[in-house]
Amino acid sequence: MKTLAELGDLRGKRVLVRSDLNVPLDGQTITDDGRIRASLPTITQLTQGGRVVVCAHLGRPKGAPDPQFSLAPVAARLGELLGTDVAFADDTVGESARSTVEALQDGQVALLENLRFNPGETSKDEAERGAFADQLAQLADAYVSDGFGVVHRAQASVYDIATRLPAAMGGPVQTEVDVLQRLTSDPERPYAVVLGGAKVSDKLGVIDNLLGTADRLLIGGGMVFTFLKARGHEVGKSLLEEDQLATVTEYLERAERDGVEIILPTDVVAATEFSADAEHEVVAADAIPADRMGPDIGPDSAKHFADKLADCRTVFWNGPMGAFEMAPYASGTETVARALVEATKGGALTVVGGGDSAAAVRQLGFADSDFGHISTGGGASLEYLEGKELPGLSVFDGEEG
């Protein structure tokens, strides 16, 4: 992959940086600025003489301006973190974008409005997407892909633009790829994968692929109930994907045949409803009352998961163990996080796979430095581990996405 150094002398040149600034918002308040912080090293490096034009998306607007998805709060926070003003264009490739970029001096930074306000960004029509990429390319002399969280998308600012300008990967993307290669190419063992989150269907591909790589799969979160049901257990009102039972059953059989441990909870927190105020109690995983649901793994399960991680040399974690955002159901996720912290201290490679997992560890008070690596792209990480080709990476290898 091409590095920033291979772009040559960028002094006086306009550099379009595709960052991942898709941060969570509460109104206009950013509740987790981790992705903005992750963008700082590349932007700072490029300001040493370059004129930096940052572009990104936020949320899922419908191809038209929508105030609730404006990047204006991100521009303000980016400026605070950089310690300098960040000019903000209130469109993507229109008059505001052109005038804002033209006004930049060496070392200055601008942020364009949400790319997804333009339908060309995510269009399935190559001509429409390409036309938008052409307009973006007119704003810059070079392009840097710095948002790992979007490299699995064949979008104008991720894939098409890299075919129109001298292009390179930013440091954070290269770091992500290096870490993922360590997870997939001769990882140090024992190698455990911890999977959680709501739906097992979101993780089928990664489970299928990792059954041939990992030594242990630890399953929690809402997705675990499809596994428990496949083993013949009552799961009450818990989230269940009945259409995936046959696939999950096949995975369980394959794991047993191939000597891969699949570790499921032995107890769960059973609540009357999905609410922090709901009546709840700890029950055996094979005795969930029919009128209850499981918003967290139980304490015995959490301890067992931690024990299974204690001797591991490589751990990948994607998906919380429960509804961590509600205090009564955060214990399982917190216990797993602490186990990863201890493994990190012991020299293991521990990778938190972005998304809700990253939000969880930060909300629970852990520092990014407590882990070996916190990914900025949960979806991209999973697709890489599934063995899929990522368009935003393949374009740098001269391959089709």
Side-chain angles (χ1 to χ4, degrees):
M1 295 182 187
K2 294 180 181 178
T3 65
L4 287 182
E6 293 177 81
L7 286 178
D9 188 356
L10 295 174
R11 286 177 295 182
K13 293 186 177 181
R14 301 163 301 160
V15 186
L16 183 69
V17 182
R18 196 350 173 155
S19 298
D20 180 7
L21 304 178
N22 188 27
V23 296
L25 288 174
D26 181 4
Q28 296 296 302
T29 302
I30 298 168
T31 58
D32 180 359
D33 64 2
R35 287 177 171 170
I36 303 177
R37 291 179 181 277
S39 74
L40 298 180
T42 296
I43 295 173
T44 301
Q45 181 179 349
L46 291 170
T47 57
Q48 307 307 305
R51 305 176 182 190
V52 184
V53 183
V54 182
C55 62
H57 78 279
L58 178 64
R60 296 182 178 180
K62 306 297 185 181
D66 185 335
Q68 69 176 317
F69 296 118
S70 173
L71 282 171
V74 175
R77 182 57 178 153
L78 179 60
E80 291 173 357
L81 293 171
L82 288 171
T84 186
D85 289 337
V86 171
F88 182 63
D90 60 16
D91 59 25
T92 56
V93 291
E95 177 56 35
S96 179
R98 290 191 295 270
S99 61
T100 299
V101 172
E102 287 173 3
L104 286 177
Q105 300 297 310
D106 294 355
Q108 293 184 331
V109 181
L111 175 64
L112 305 180
E113 183 55 284
N114 193 332
L115 290 165
R116 292 185 180 176
F117 286 179
N118 190 305
E121 168 67 0
T122 59
S123 177
K124 301 300 183 184
D125 183 287
E126 290 187 14
E128 183 180 18
R129 208 173 62 233
F132 182 49
D134 288 338
Q135 292 177 293
L136 286 171
Q138 291 173 10
L139 300 174
D141 304 301
Y143 169 76
V144 175
S145 175
D146 205 50
F148 182 74
V150 293
V151 297
H152 57 314
R153 306 296 188 193
Q155 296 178 348
S157 69
V158 178
Y159 176 77
D160 302 87
I161 188 69
T163 68
R164 288 159 166 78
L165 291 171
M169 290 290 187
V173 174
Q174 293 174 25
T175 297
E176 295 274 5
V177 173
D178 290 343
V179 168
L180 289 169
Q181 288 177 339
R182 291 177 65 185
L183 292 176
T184 54
S185 301
D186 195 26
E188 191 173 354
R189 300 182 183 280
Y191 175 20
V193 175
V194 186
L195 296 176
K199 294 184 177 181
V200 69
S201 55
D202 293 339
K203 309 285 170 65
L204 289 177
V206 73
I207 295 171
D208 183 55
N209 204 40
L210 289 175
L211 279 175
T213 305
D215 301 303
R216 301 168 189 163
L217 294 181
L218 287 67
I219 310 295
M223 63 182 286
V224 76
F225 298 103
T226 303
F227 279 84
L228 292 174
K229 185 70 172 181
R231 285 195 166 168
H233 301 324
E234 169 64 57
V235 297
K237 297 190 297 181
S238 303
L239 185 63
L240 173 65
E241 293 182 87
E242 294 200 40
D243 59 335
Q244 303 299 337
L245 284 172
T247 301
V248 167
T249 299
E250 191 273 328
Y251 287 163
L252 290 168
E253 293 171 349
R254 200 166 109 207
E256 184 174 3
R257 183 176 65 247
D258 295 344
V260 178
E261 286 187 86
I262 290 189
I263 299 147
L264 304 178
T266 54
D267 62 346
V268 301
V269 177
T272 53
E273 59 184 31
F274 193 71
S275 165
D277 299 323
E279 179 185 334
H280 59 274
E281 62 179 338
V282 176
V283 301
D286 61 356
I288 301 172
D291 62 347
R292 296 204 174 203
M293 63 182 65
D296 195 14
I297 63 174
D300 288 345
S301 301
K303 181 180 183 305
H304 184 52
F305 280 24
D307 291 342
K308 284 292 184 179
L309 296 172
D311 67 336
C312 288
R313 303 301 300 165
T314 306
V315 183
F316 173 73
W317 177 23
N318 184 281
M321 297 295 97
F324 69 90
E325 63 276 10
M326 293 186 279
Y329 316 126
S331 181
T333 301
E334 183 174 6
T335 300
V336 167
R338 291 192 184 283
L340 263 71
V341 172
E342 292 304 312
T344 307
K345 291 178 181 177
L349 170 64
T350 59
V351 180
V352 180
D356 287 342
S357 310
V361 297
R362 290 172 181 140
Q363 181 175 312
L364 292 171
F366 296 95
D368 288 15
S369 58
D370 288 333
F371 308 91
H373 178 71
I374 295 185
S375 177
T376 56
S381 296
L382 288 177
E383 291 202 13
Y384 189 101
L385 292 176
E386 286 180 40
K388 291 183 177 179
E389 186 177 78
L390 308 186
L393 299 182
S394 66
V395 69
F396 286 90
D397 296 326
E399 302 170 0
E400 292 297 317

